[in-house]
Amino acid sequence: MRRTTLGFISGMLLLSACALDKEEEVRAHVSPWVKLGDTYFFESSSSCTAAVFHTESPRISSLVSKARSVSTGMKMLSEGKPVAFDVGGKTPNMLTEDIMSRDLPQGISVLNSGLAGANCMSELVKSIYYQAIMNPQSRLIFDPEGDAMIVVDRQAGALIYVRGNG
C-alpha cells in the first residue's frame, strides 16, 4: 500500500511539473494590464493553459499598446509587443479572422493560441470563452512573446487567458 501511495504522489508531482504555466505566473504576467480579482478557473498541461479571472475593472492599462485598427495592431505584433485591439464593432473572433486574412502566419499564431488553450477548458469555461470571443464588447489582447491570447469580457467581468504550446 505504501509503495502504491508513493508511486501515485510521485506521478502527480511529475504531472504538475509538466504544466505549461503556473497560476501565480499567469496572474503576475497579466495583472499589470487588467486589475484582477479571484480566479474562477485555471488548468495547465504540457500543451495548453486556460484561465478565467474575475476583473475588478474592465479597463486595460496603458502598459499594453492599444491598436484601433487591425493594420496597426499587426505592425505592433510583428515588433513583438503585446497589443490590445480596440477596433470598434469587431469581436475578438472577427479580429482573429482579419489578422489571418492579412497575414496567415501571424493569424495562425493567434488562432492556435485560442484553439489550443480551449483543450484545457471544462465545458462550462468553453461556453464562457466562446460567448466572450463573439461579443463586440470584449477586447482581444495578444501577447506574441508567450503566444497568449487574452480576452477581456467587459460584460461578464472576466479575463480569459489561453495559450498553446507550439
Side-chain angles (χ1 to χ4, degrees):
M1 178 73 168
R2 184 164 190 249
R3 181 175 281 170
T4 304
T5 303
L6 289 175
F8 176 75
I9 291 171
S10 60
M12 290 302 292
L13 289 173
L14 183 61
L15 282 174
S16 66
C18 293
L20 189 58
D21 296 294
K22 293 183 176 146
E23 179 182 343
E24 37 308 326
E25 291 170 357
V26 170
R27 178 179 282 280
H29 184 70
V30 299
S31 65
W33 302 342
V34 178
K35 190 170 181 180
L36 299 178
D38 293 335
T39 302
Y40 287 137
F41 179 86
F42 186 87
E43 183 69 37
S44 188
S45 71
S46 61
S47 61
C48 61
T49 297
V52 181
F53 302 101
H54 170 73
T55 56
E56 294 184 3
S57 167
R59 183 181 170 280
I60 298 171
S61 93
S62 60
L63 295 174
V64 179
S65 299
K66 301 219 177 42
R68 299 218 184 270
S69 73
V70 173
S71 298
T72 301
M74 290 177 67
K75 184 174 188 250
M76 291 177 190
L77 287 175
S78 68
E79 294 168 357
K81 297 177 184 176
V83 178
F85 288 86
D86 191 2
V87 182
K90 297 265 186 176
T91 67
N93 188 63
M94 294 165 118
L95 290 166
T96 302
E97 289 173 356
D98 284 354
I99 294 168
M100 284 195 64
S101 70
R102 294 174 190 220
D103 182 338
L104 191 58
Q106 200 171 46
I108 286 178
S109 180
V110 174
L111 183 64
N112 183 52
S113 297
L115 292 175
N119 290 329
C120 277
M121 295 178 182
S122 68
E123 290 305 312
L124 176 62
V125 171
K126 281 181 188 174
S127 172
I128 292 166
Y129 173 62
Y130 291 127
Q131 286 176 9
I133 65 171
M134 301 306 274
N135 184 343
Q137 297 300 311
S138 294
R139 293 294 172 257
L140 171 68
I141 301 172
F142 188 71
D143 182 7
E145 182 181 317
D147 278 334
M149 184 171 141
I150 299 145
V151 179
V152 179
D153 186 331
R154 294 173 171 188
Q155 288 180 324
L159 178 143
I160 304 161
Y161 176 98
V162 291
R163 182 165 99 93
N165 185 10

